[in-house]
């Protein structure tokens, strides 16, 4: 029976497993500049400028000290930008010469720096976005408002945000107990990253930004229920019921099979070696772009080899997906131009059209890491649309001594041509997140379209079935690695349609195993 919801409850879309409870800390929105004040004491105003910049640099340095190696490097570079004496001098000049108050003087100084950087083009122009973020933080400090960006209150908390960028989600610290966002869709990359970390997560939760900081809320990552204003005993009850569920599910470990004994390989989706979990039958989707989110400089050959080898050394077959950059997964080091319709533009394998060399360099690094570790490595490409693209990709993979090449089916055209694709490659992996987005013409990040993006939609299942049947005809494996594979209500349908493996966030494996066994 479904639990009745208490009065103080909000409803979003649950996108992970597990429940927890904890105090809310909201991520502040960028400040809105109020109308300029008349400056009567320029000395005090200049001191306020200096104080805001000092607070900004100190905050960035404090966060750098707690971040991982790469994060620390970025934050330290930002702290240096905040401490730049030229910037400070310009802001003070705006107070002295133009009579601006501290927030407006800071705004003007950062804007001038931004324009100068943007005009330089290339890599430096990319850093202009960093200055926007610093500007918001400095202005907030001068206005006495909380600084925007992911907060760190120094104790465990539930992070509540209007929305969160994938790069922010990837960098969330261990004190974040759960994540609730007002916007976002169930298959957005923020949801995927949060699920990968095993974080109870609810997206598209209207009204959650109105819950005051410090309020204890319960977050159910499955049902999407957010209960507001829990007592200490109620919060402990939520955590206890979650512990009981985990224990029950852990008791059923073992390979995946249906009630009548049909084996179904249950594989893990990962973004780096840190996501590897014991007991997997293999990795079905290694999203290599997650290694380099937010990176401003391209990874070297050696760095790529090391990152791939770390995953391959984890044992079990690994299916690596080549870089899937674009739309909500920007890889700044690629320097791809902005597009009016990025989801329909140059993303995934299509990047090879405009930046030849990136894919070949990645394939070289994957092949070297595979040789060095002796692991069973398969490679697949994202966003493949035609059999010709599949043939070209497979040729380049095999030329490097990697025996098995596959492609993802994420575009309806690819599903309609499943037989032709399988004539060129060794396996297909259906990416239901994008396949749903492109089949229903519904943005996967859109908070209001989750009914269309429901993986149980008959049109999506029909396309999956077409791929699975093509696989049976060709005698080649066809798996599903989109989020549908980790949904215990949908996984049995996918198996019924004939798919041979399901790849999902590790946290989803126990519930899917239980659903198949039933
Ligand atoms: C998919 O589209 O289903 C998929 C697995 O790829 P991603 O979610 O990384 O776009
Ligand atoms: Mg995809």
């Amino acid at each position: 029976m479904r639990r009745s919801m208490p009065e103080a409850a909000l409803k979003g879309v649950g996108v992970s497993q597990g429940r927890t409870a904890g105090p809310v800390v909201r991520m502040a929105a960028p400040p809105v500049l109020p109308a300029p004040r008349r400056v009567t004491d320029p000395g005090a105003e200049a001191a306020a400028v200096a104080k805001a910049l000092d607070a900004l640099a100190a905050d960035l340095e404090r966060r750098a000290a707690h971040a991982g190696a790469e994060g620390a490097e970025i934050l330290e570079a930002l702290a240096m930008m905040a401490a730049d004496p030229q910037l400070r001098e310009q802001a003070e000049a705006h107070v002295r010469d133009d009579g601006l108050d501290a927030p407006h003087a800071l705004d003007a100084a950062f804007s001038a720096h931004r324009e100068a950087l943007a005009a330089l083009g290339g890599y430096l122009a990319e850093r202009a976005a960093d200055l926007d973020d610093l500007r918001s933080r400095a202005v907030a400090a001068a206005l006495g408002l909380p600084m925007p960006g992911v907060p760190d209150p120094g104790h465990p908390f539930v992070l509540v945000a209007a929305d969160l960028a994938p790069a922010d989600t990837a960098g969330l610290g261990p004190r974040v107990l759960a994540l609730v966002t007002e916007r976002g869709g169930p298959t957005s990359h923020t949801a995927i990253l949060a699920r990968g970390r095993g974080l109870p997560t609810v997206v598209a939760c209207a009204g959650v930004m109105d819950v005051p900081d410090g309020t204890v809320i319960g977050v159910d990552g499955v049902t999407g229920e957010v209960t507001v204003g829990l007592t200490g005993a109620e919060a402990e009850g939520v955590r206890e019921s979650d512990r009981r569920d985990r224990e029950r599910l852990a008791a059923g470990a073992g390979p995946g099979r249906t009630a009548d004994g049909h084996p179904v390989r249950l594989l893990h989706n990962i973004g780096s070696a840190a996501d590897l979990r014991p007991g997997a039958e293999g990795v079905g989707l290694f999203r290599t772009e997650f290694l380099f989110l937010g990176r401003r400089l391209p990874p070297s050959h050696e760095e790529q080899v090391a990152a791939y080898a770390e995953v391959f050394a984890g044992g079990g077959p690994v299916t690596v997906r080549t870089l899937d950059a674009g739309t909500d997964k920007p890889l700044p080091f690629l320097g791809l131009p902005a597009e009016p319709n990025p989801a329909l533009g140059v993303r995934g394998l299509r990047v090879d059209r405009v930046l030849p060399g990136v894919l070949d360099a990645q394939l070289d690094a994957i092949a070297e890491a595979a040789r060095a570790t002796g692991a069973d490595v398969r490679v697949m490409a994202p966003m493949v649309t035609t059999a010709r693209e599949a043939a070209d990709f497979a040729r380049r993979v095999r030329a490097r001594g990697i025996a098995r090449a596959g492609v993802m089916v994420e575009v309806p055209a690819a599903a309609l041509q499943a037989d032709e694709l399988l004539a060129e490659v060794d396996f297909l992996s259906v990416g239901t997140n994008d396949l749903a987005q492109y089949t229903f013409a519904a943005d996967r990040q859109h908070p209001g379209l989750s009914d269309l993006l429901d993986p149980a939609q008959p049109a999506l299942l029909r396309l999956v079935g077409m791929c699975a049947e093509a696989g049976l005809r060709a005698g080649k494996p066809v798996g599903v690695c989109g989020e549908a594979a980790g949904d215990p209500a949908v996984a049995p349908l996918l198996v019924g349609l004939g798919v041979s493996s399901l790849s999902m966030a590790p946290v989803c494996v126990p519930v899917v195993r239980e659903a198949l066994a039933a």
Side-chain angles (χ1 to χ4, degrees):
M1 201 179 69
R2 212 173 149 75
R3 269 186 304 134
S4 65
M5 289 206 298
E7 257 191 295
L10 300 170
K11 185 85 171 82
V13 179
V15 296
S16 62
Q17 293 299 314
R19 288 180 293 281
T20 193
V24 164
V25 178
R26 283 172 299 177
M27 184 159 130
V32 179
L33 266 178
R37 272 183 291 112
R38 214 169 68 82
V39 172
T40 49
D41 182 353
E45 219 60 43
V49 163
K51 194 170 156 209
L53 288 173
D54 288 345
L56 174 62
D59 179 63
L60 291 164
E61 266 156 20
R62 189 180 57 83
R63 292 200 294 143
H66 294 102
E70 156 117 25
E73 215 176 284
I74 296 173
L75 289 163
E76 272 158 18
L78 293 177
M80 275 170 70
M81 282 166 112
D84 180 352
Q86 224 184 336
L87 179 83
R88 185 170 300 224
E89 168 49 34
Q90 268 178 14
E92 286 169 355
H94 282 303
V95 172
R96 210 176 41 238
D97 306 336
D98 308 329
L100 295 185
D101 59 28
H104 285 88
L106 286 162
D107 181 54
F110 274 105
S111 300
H113 264 228
R114 184 196 202 290
E115 270 162 39
L117 268 192
L120 293 172
Y123 162 69
L124 286 168
E126 302 257 339
R127 308 217 62 144
D130 291 345
L131 278 176
D132 286 339
D133 181 46
L134 293 186
R135 184 208 72 96
S136 292
R137 288 164 173 270
V139 169
L143 290 168
L145 297 173
M147 285 194 202
V150 177
D152 183 3
H155 57 74
F157 66 105
V158 176
L159 177 62
V160 169
D163 204 355
L164 206 60
D168 283 336
T169 313
L172 291 181
R175 285 196 269 264
V176 178
L177 300 169
L179 172 65
V180 185
T181 65
E182 203 156 47
R183 298 200 293 271
T187 58
S188 69
H189 287 97
T190 285
I192 289 168
L193 282 160
R195 186 183 301 123
R197 281 194 38 173
L199 211 56
T201 300
V202 174
V203 300
C205 186
V208 73
M209 282 299 277
D210 298 331
V211 177
D213 284 357
T215 310
V216 176
I217 64 173
V219 180
D220 190 322
V222 178
T223 64
E225 284 168 23
V226 173
T227 43
V228 181
L230 301 186
T231 62
E234 286 167 338
E236 187 41 40
V238 172
R239 291 190 281 263
E240 178 52 31
S241 80
D242 183 64
R243 269 194 292 276
R244 276 199 306 272
D245 277 0
R246 281 179 203 273
E247 276 165 22
R248 189 194 79 239
L249 290 166
R257 56 186 65 249
T258 58
D260 57 357
H262 175 71
V264 183
R265 288 194 311 137
L266 302 181
L267 307 171
H268 286 182
N269 288 358
I270 63 164
S272 72
D275 298 336
L276 289 170
R277 295 289 175 274
E281 296 181 61
V283 169
L285 170 61
F286 172 17
R287 287 181 165 102
T288 53
E289 65 280 358
F290 282 1
L291 290 168
F292 308 118
L293 282 179
R295 274 284 293 256
R296 314 236 155 236
L297 291 175
S300 67
H301 173 75
E302 291 70 28
E303 196 183 343
Q304 289 199 59
V305 173
Y308 305 147
E310 201 184 347
V311 167
F312 299 166
V318 178
T319 301
V320 190
R321 178 175 73 184
T322 54
L323 290 179
D324 183 20
T327 64
D328 76 326
K329 285 184 289 192
L331 293 183
F333 70 82
L334 291 178
L336 290 171
E339 292 183 334
N341 254 326
L344 301 180
V346 175
R347 59 163 296 199
L349 182 66
R350 299 171 185 182
V351 172
D352 189 54
R353 296 166 183 238
V354 295
L355 294 175
V358 174
L359 176 63
D360 286 327
Q362 186 179 24
L363 291 176
D364 286 341
I366 292 170
E368 188 174 328
R371 275 194 303 275
T373 54
D376 175 354
V377 172
R378 303 119 194 238
V379 183
M380 63 182 180
M383 289 295 291
V384 171
T385 312
T386 65
R388 196 166 161 176
E389 286 177 349
D392 174 61
F393 179 74
R395 181 184 54 73
R396 287 154 77 175
V397 170
R398 291 178 189 135
R400 288 169 170 84
I402 299 167
R404 276 192 263 186
V407 293
M408 292 191 69
V409 176
E410 301 177 282
V411 178
L416 294 168
Q417 293 253 291
D419 289 301
E420 287 79 359
L421 294 183
L422 279 169
E424 306 295 346
V425 297
D426 304 301
F427 64 93
L428 300 181
S429 185
V430 185
T432 45
N433 308 332
D434 277 312
L435 190 57
Q437 160 164 268
Y438 296 122
T439 301
F440 299 103
D443 183 347
R444 60 193 275 186
Q445 300 184 78
H446 199 298
L449 299 177
S450 48
D451 57 324
L452 289 176
L453 296 167
D454 182 341
Q457 281 279 5
L460 183 72
L461 292 177
R462 187 177 295 179
L463 290 172
V464 175
M466 287 170 67
C467 295
E469 281 162 22
L472 294 173
R473 277 193 290 277
K476 294 181 178 178
V478 173
V480 172
C481 66
E483 302 312 295
D487 182 334
V490 179
L493 299 177
L494 301 173
V495 171
L497 290 169
V499 309
S500 51
S501 65
L502 298 170
S503 193
M504 64 202 83
V507 72
C508 298
V509 169
V511 282
V512 168
R513 185 191 287 117
E514 186 180 66
L516 293 181

